[in-house]
Amino acid sequence: MYVNVALGILSSLPMAIEGTNRLIVDIAMFFGLLVIVAMALNFQYGNAGIPNMGCAVQVIIGAFSVSAVVLRIMFTVIASSGVPLQDWNDPYNWVYSSPFNVGLSNEFIKTNAPIAIGFFLLSIGIALTLGAAIGYLLALPAIRLRATYLMIVLITMADASQIIGRNVTFISGGTLGVWIPNVFAWYPGDFGVIMAVITLLIGLICFFIFRTMLNSPYGRLMRSMRENEVTLGSIGKNVVGIRRNILMFASGITAIAGVINVYYLQFSNESGYQRAYWTYWPWLMLILGGPGNNAGTFLGAALIIALRRLIIVFKFELQPFFFFPIPYLEDIILGGLLVIVMIFRPSGLIPEKLLYIPGVNYAKMVQEDVKVDWRAAPKARAKKGSKEEKK
Amino acid sequence: MNGLLLIASIMRLVGDAAADQYDTILFWLMIALWVIMPAFIVYEEINERKALKEAEKATEGQV
């Protein structure tokens, strides 16, 4: 009953998604999108100490999995339902018949919501799998390289994947890109709102997955690896395996952000996955908020995204106050904030706290009363040894 | 699957005339999600910090 009353009240306040509401939806959408990437980065760097500068690769894999795999499955299913799609098999037609085919696909999706939802879920499944596979590939150099060299290798990997996307047409349409059908074409209202709600829901699910993992013994293992992996190796843990698992898991989650981004833009092109946007901004969010805790990641993401969207939306109003073109302001803020945070607040706005495990008191465990008479111990050991010799 | 079909067909039946209503509901759902997530994190963070302080106080002077 209460739900009905609440829905009744809410639906009696009709509002158009325009003006300030549009800005709120826009900020919420990008907050949900980038908070997934930032949380995965926090999982890798903040908790396991893996400096992943290749977030862009993981996002690209998610985006390309939609344009290269799911889009073909979509077209095959839709064409088999009798929709007269144009040929899409050779690279030329793949790019040039894309707008026409996508237009017809959208018409089909309008009356076939369950199939469209199935496509969306399939995209997430494929992105998770391919993301985990790319995480495995990323882990191969991670096993042998130290942090600095690993960062360099991952940055180059991000660029390499962009170059591959630019030159191999059947992946994402090369330099021209391909159009992606609107999987929420069946929704009669505003597309941005439903996309923002779904993105935030996925973000919430990801948050609970990461939270559960970090509060589990595996999370403590990750933190111990971050602190001293030599010690961890010396007590028999497989450091290489742990690192690989973490990279695979986080890559899979980050790839979901790529899927959502592609469906939101309804367009896939490699130029939208530059490392500055998908690697450096999430790093700034993490460093600003404070690595090693989710609260910091959320705060960092919220501040940075609000700032960026406001600059983008109010660029004409802001322009008279600056002597340089306003698009550069974003980059200046990225660099400036990073320097300021590193100088004045290296542990972020919310520094990492001691690990709290309900029911476990480390101080008590440490002060366990173990009575050892160190003066008598060597004598006792000698006595024990002589007895064993006699036997 | 049947449930999804039913929901989809109801939404199509109601049509574009009700689009504003859906948007309003989803808009407020979005705001709720946006508020709930950080609020939960902050609540948990405060609780953990409190528990850590209490554990520290309880063992103070014993070590």
Side-chain angles (χ1 to χ4, degrees), chain A residues 76-117:
Chain A
T76 310
V77 171
I78 292 169
S80 67
S81 309
V83 179
L85 296 184
Q86 284 180 357
D87 177 51
W88 69 86
N89 289 316
D90 64 275
Y92 182 85
N93 286 337
W94 176 243
V95 176
Y96 287 101
S97 60
S98 153
F100 178 78
N101 286 345
V102 166
L104 286 182
S105 302
N106 285 344
E107 289 302 316
F108 174 82
I109 287 169
K110 270 183 188 171
T111 50
N112 293 281
I115 294 175
I117 292 167

Side-chain angles (χ1 to χ4, degrees), chain A residues 168-192:
Chain A
V168 184
T169 315
F170 75 87
I171 294 179
S172 72
T175 48
L176 293 173
V178 283
W179 292 92
I180 305 290
N182 174 10
V183 281
F184 299 103
W186 47 269
Y187 176 68
D190 187 81
F191 165 74

Side-chain angles (χ1 to χ4, degrees), chain A residues 252-312:
Chain A
I253 299 283
T254 314
I256 296 176
V259 172
I260 299 169
N261 188 50
V262 154
Y263 279 126
Y264 182 61
L265 300 175
Q266 294 172 37
F267 187 71
S268 174
N269 186 262
E270 51 76 31
S271 62
Y273 301 96
Q274 288 163 350
R275 64 172 185 275
Y277 190 90
W278 292 104
T279 303
Y280 300 153
W281 281 109
W283 267 91
L284 178 60
M285 288 167 197
L286 189 68
I287 288 169
L288 177 67
N293 68 80
N294 277 326
T297 311
F298 268 78
L299 182 66
L303 287 177
I304 297 292
I305 287 160
L307 193 69
R308 284 203 65 211
R309 299 320 294 177
L310 288 175
I311 290 173
I312 291 167

Side-chain angles (χ1 to χ4, degrees), chain A residues 1 24 28 59-60 82 87 89 93 119 124 147 181 207 215 228 249 275 287 295 309 312 331 351 367 376 378-379 385:
Chain A
M1 193 190 96
I24 292 170
V59 178
I60 284 176
D87 177 51
N89 289 316
N93 286 337
F119 286 143
I124 288 177
F207 163 69
N215 288 339
N228 196 333
F249 183 74
R275 64 172 185 275
I287 288 169
R309 299 320 294 177
I312 291 167
D331 298 333
Q367 52 167 298
K379 288 175 194 171

